[in-house]
């Protein structure tokens, strides 16, 4: 392949395939970055062209090895314990509302869809334990790497940054490596499974298979309208008669904007947050939202920004466009992230970068900068995962390879460090430096030229001490 100019038919196929697999809309994704990724993967796997690679992908199941790698790449896994306090307040209030000891010890069945690395299901179990409410919690995700972390239940201080010390001491224990292991009997009620919210829904252990509460927080915000409708129909089809749906504080569902096939949902207030119940009209079973809450007044709830359906990646690409197209949202988020970085607000910058990657998971620079911030905050496992995503997209990205090598050095893994130092040196020899025009990278490394020198000297020093290997 001699050119990386966007090819509309190929881009349309890529967009549709990834949407079918994950539901994610790629309208804000740079066509050039998508094509570069498919070019790198085709070359690495021995295909003659990105088109041949795509042809091979089209014949595979989403859970096969290579499709799953792409799914893991484009699904975002950053989360934390005790995230979104207003919604957790609503959940606490709801559990007490739903549980009636007079009817025995039947647990409340809760499904956490899009559970990522598991912090949310464990948080739900903590809240239920504090309220003495028996629960059964299922956490599902489409990302197999995230599920591995969830099942291990081992986390860094960064994942626990919102968890008060009293809860840390009660529900987790410190283990070697400055990490925390979930360790409390309440977590016996938590299990995990691989699942895509676009597939037929999981069933609970309840006799009719229904769920009392379904949490799907910060998942649908990046979905296309069609995928959102499909996911909502799947979830409401297994919601109990008295059940509730919970989304994130930054999400608001408008079923009337999703089309005739969308389920009817209405918001209700509970505690400091809000939930949804099936049905367009208020019933006697609805939690009273309070006198100061007008269910027809939507100004109090943030809205999910739905992607415009008619356009495609290819249709949004202008001829001879040297950069990305239709990336206004991404550009604004990047600019805001830069402002936060300049002001030293790392958590806010991470939130912006996370949103960027929700819209454009092929944004190598954002993966690198997010990883560098996480590394500086001591979240080394999360940083390593982000660097690995950058290297999946650009195998010889010198900065990602250099930082990955240093992490492996610090962990005493000389062979892995050697491999990544080699990749860093190879990347430094490339005629095009991905960091030369970066707006974000200088905010975390200072001078890019000096960072390149550091990467080279670090590799040279390592090979001097440990040898170049075979």
């Amino acid at each position: 392949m001699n050119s990386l100019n966007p090819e509309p038919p190929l881009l349309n196929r890529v967009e549709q395939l990834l949407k079918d697999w994950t539901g994610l809309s790629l309208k804000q994704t740079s066509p050039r970055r998508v094509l570069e990724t498919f070019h790198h993967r085709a070359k690495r796997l021995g295909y003659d062209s990105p088109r041949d690679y795509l042809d091979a992908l089209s014949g595979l199941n989403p859970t096969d090895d290579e499709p799953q790698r792409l799914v893991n790449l484009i699904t975002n896994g950053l989360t934390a314990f005790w995230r979104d306090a207003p919604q957790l307040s609503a959940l606490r209030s709801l559990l007490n509302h739903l549980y009636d000891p007079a009817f025995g010890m039947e647990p409340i069945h809760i499904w956490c869809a899009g559970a990522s690395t598991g912090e949310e299901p464990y948080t739900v179990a903590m809240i239920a334990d504090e309220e003495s409410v028996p629960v059964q919690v299922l956490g599902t995700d489409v990302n197999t790497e995230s599920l591995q972390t969830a099942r291990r239940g081992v986390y860094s201080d960064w994942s626990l940054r919102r968890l008060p010390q009293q809860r840390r001491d009660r529900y987790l224990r410190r283990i070697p490596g400055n990490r925390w292991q979930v360790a409390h009997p309440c977590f016996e009620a938590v299990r995990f499974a691989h699942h895509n919210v676009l597939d037929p829904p999981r069933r609970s252990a309840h006799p009719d298979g229904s769920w009392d509460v379904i949490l799907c927080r910060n998942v649908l915000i990046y979905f296309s309208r069609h995928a959102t409708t499909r996911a909502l129909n799947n979830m409401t089809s297994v919601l109990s008669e008295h059940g509730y749906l919970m989304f994130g504080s930054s999400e608001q569902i408008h079923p009337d904007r999703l089309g005739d096939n969308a389920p009817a949902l209405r918001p209700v207030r509970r505690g400091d947050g809000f939930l949804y119940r099936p049905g367009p009209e208020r019933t006697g079973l609805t939690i009273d939202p309070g006198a100061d809450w007008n269910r027809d007044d939507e100004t109090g709830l943030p809205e999910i920004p739905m992607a415009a359906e008619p356009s495609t990646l290819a249709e949004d690409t202008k001829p001879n466009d040297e950069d990305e197209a239709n990336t206004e949202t991404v550009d604004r988020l990047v600019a805001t992230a830069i402002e936060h970085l300049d002001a030293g607000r790392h958590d806010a910058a991470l939130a912006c970068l996370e949103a960027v990657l929700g819209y454009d998971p092929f944004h190598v620079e954002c993966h690198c900068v997010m990883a560098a911030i996480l590394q500086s905050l001591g979240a080394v496992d999360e940083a390593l995962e982000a660097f690995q995503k950058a290297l999946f997209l650009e195998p010889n990205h010198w900065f990602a390879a250099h930082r990955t090598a240093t992490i492996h050095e610090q962990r005493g893994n000389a062979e892995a460090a050697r491999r990544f130092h080699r990749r860093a040196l190879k990347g430094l020899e490339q005629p095009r430096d991905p960091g030369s025009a970066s707006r974000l990278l200088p905010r975390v490394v200072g001078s890019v030229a000096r960072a390149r020198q550091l990467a080279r000297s670090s590799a040279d020093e390592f090979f001097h001490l440990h040898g170049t290997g075979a």
Side-chain angles (χ1 to χ4, degrees):
M1 179 176 167
N2 297 322
S3 172
L4 288 179
N5 288 329
E7 304 175 30
L10 179 64
L11 287 169
N12 287 347
R13 288 181 59 200
V14 170
E15 178 190 17
Q16 189 59 52
L17 183 65
L18 296 179
K19 186 189 293 183
D20 289 344
W21 286 349
T22 66
L24 295 175
S25 172
L26 300 178
K27 299 300 185 298
Q28 296 286 342
T29 301
S30 160
R32 182 169 299 280
R33 280 196 286 265
V34 174
L35 207 59
E36 285 176 345
T37 297
F38 273 65
H39 173 68
H40 287 311
R41 292 305 292 171
K43 183 178 179 181
R44 189 172 184 84
L45 297 176
Y47 291 99
D48 292 334
S49 70
R51 191 177 300 280
D52 291 338
Y53 170 57
L54 181 58
D55 288 342
L57 286 175
S58 300
L60 299 175
N61 292 319
T63 53
D64 289 338
D65 287 347
E66 182 65 11
Q68 187 65 61
R69 290 188 187 98
L70 287 169
V71 169
N72 289 350
L73 167 74
I74 67 176
T75 50
N76 204 344
L78 274 189
T79 184
F81 284 90
W82 230 261
R83 188 179 189 183
D84 200 348
Q87 293 300 77
L88 296 180
S89 167
L91 178 64
R92 185 184 297 273
S93 176
L94 178 61
L95 292 180
N96 284 296
H97 172 80
L98 292 175
Y99 180 58
D100 189 345
F103 290 95
M105 295 296 291
E106 173 67 25
I108 304 298
H109 296 279
I110 303 173
W111 175 17
C112 297
S116 187
T117 45
E119 289 92 331
E120 178 180 81
Y122 290 129
T123 296
V124 170
M126 290 181 198
I127 294 172
D129 179 70
E130 290 176 350
E131 298 301 316
S132 298
V133 174
V135 294
Q136 290 291 327
V137 184
L138 173 66
T140 64
D141 204 89
V142 71
N143 189 312
T144 54
E145 294 173 354
S146 294
L147 285 172
Q148 289 176 3
T149 299
R151 291 185 176 114
R152 284 195 301 268
V154 175
Y155 299 96
S156 66
D157 283 322
W158 188 79
S159 292
L160 276 63
R161 63 194 183 278
R162 294 187 176 96
L163 196 64
Q165 189 64 45
Q166 183 179 2
R167 288 194 176 105
R168 291 192 190 193
D169 295 339
R170 175 176 171 81
Y171 292 105
L172 299 99
R173 61 183 175 87
R174 177 80 75 172
I175 61 175
N178 199 30
R179 300 182 189 181
W180 295 82
Q181 169 79 61
V182 293
H184 191 276
C186 74
F187 298 134
E188 295 176 6
V190 179
R191 60 190 178 93
F192 295 95
H194 183 259
H195 181 259
N196 189 329
V197 293
L198 300 181
D199 293 338
R202 287 273 178 167
R203 297 279 176 170
S204 75
H206 192 274
D208 66 2
S210 66
W211 298 96
D212 300 300
V213 185
I214 299 177
L215 287 77
C216 188
R217 301 195 296 167
N218 305 309
V219 174
L220 304 182
I221 192 169
Y222 303 115
F223 274 27
S224 66
R225 283 193 178 93
H226 173 75
T228 299
T229 298
R230 183 172 167 182
L232 289 174
N233 278 318
N234 284 343
M235 288 185 280
T236 55
S237 72
V238 290
L239 198 63
S240 74
E241 179 185 359
H242 310 303
Y244 291 80
L245 285 169
M246 175 178 283
F247 306 103
S249 290
S250 61
E251 299 172 283
Q252 183 182 358
I253 298 296
H254 288 282
D256 56 312
R257 300 181 190 176
L258 295 174
D260 295 336
N261 294 326
L265 296 171
R266 51 194 167 81
V268 291
R269 284 288 184 185
R270 190 71 182 176
D272 296 327
F274 65 95
L275 307 98
Y276 285 84
R277 298 212 59 196
E281 299 297 333
R282 177 185 168 91
T283 71
L285 297 174
T286 301
I287 293 176
D288 190 344
D292 60 342
W293 165 244
N294 178 3
R295 69 185 181 93
D296 295 322
D297 178 11
E298 299 171 346
T299 59
L301 300 179
E303 180 181 349
I304 291 181
M306 295 295 181
E309 290 295 324
S311 64
T312 65
L313 278 173
E315 289 168 355
D316 288 333
T317 306
K318 301 174 183 178
N320 301 319
D321 187 3
E322 289 300 321
D323 205 340
E324 49 265 33
N326 191 31
T327 57
E328 294 87 353
T329 301
V330 167
D331 288 342
R332 286 198 300 271
L333 286 166
V334 168
T336 305
I338 289 172
E339 292 177 5
H340 288 312
L341 286 171
D342 289 344
R345 296 186 293 266
H346 288 155
D347 277 355
L350 281 172
C352 290
L353 296 174
E354 183 182 5
V356 169
L357 294 173
Y359 288 112
D360 186 354
F362 298 90
H363 203 300
V364 181
E365 182 185 6
C366 278
H367 284 295
C368 286
V369 172
M370 176 178 284
I373 297 172
L374 290 168
Q375 189 177 14
S376 72
L377 296 174
V380 181
D381 289 338
E382 293 84 352
L384 190 59
E385 181 182 347
F387 282 132
Q388 288 171 342
K389 288 188 175 186
L391 289 168
F392 182 93
L393 293 168
E394 194 161 332
N396 295 313
H397 193 290
W398 65 267
F399 179 73
H402 160 61
R403 286 295 186 93
T404 301
T406 61
I407 291 173
H408 286 301
E409 273 192 74
Q410 292 165 359
R411 292 181 169 181
N413 190 340
E415 187 52 42
R418 182 178 288 110
R419 289 199 309 271
F420 287 103
H421 276 308
R422 286 195 192 113
R423 289 171 71 171
L425 290 177
K426 188 173 181 179
L428 288 168
E429 299 302 323
Q430 299 296 317
R432 184 182 72 88
D433 178 7
S436 61
S438 172
R439 292 183 291 163
L440 283 165
L441 198 56
R443 263 68 186 190
V444 293
V445 301
S447 166
V448 173
R450 283 197 296 271
R452 286 172 60 88
Q453 292 173 356
L454 176 62
R456 186 179 299 278
S457 62
S458 175
D460 290 343
E461 181 180 355
F462 176 87
F463 291 133
H464 176 72
L465 293 173
H466 300 279
T468 59

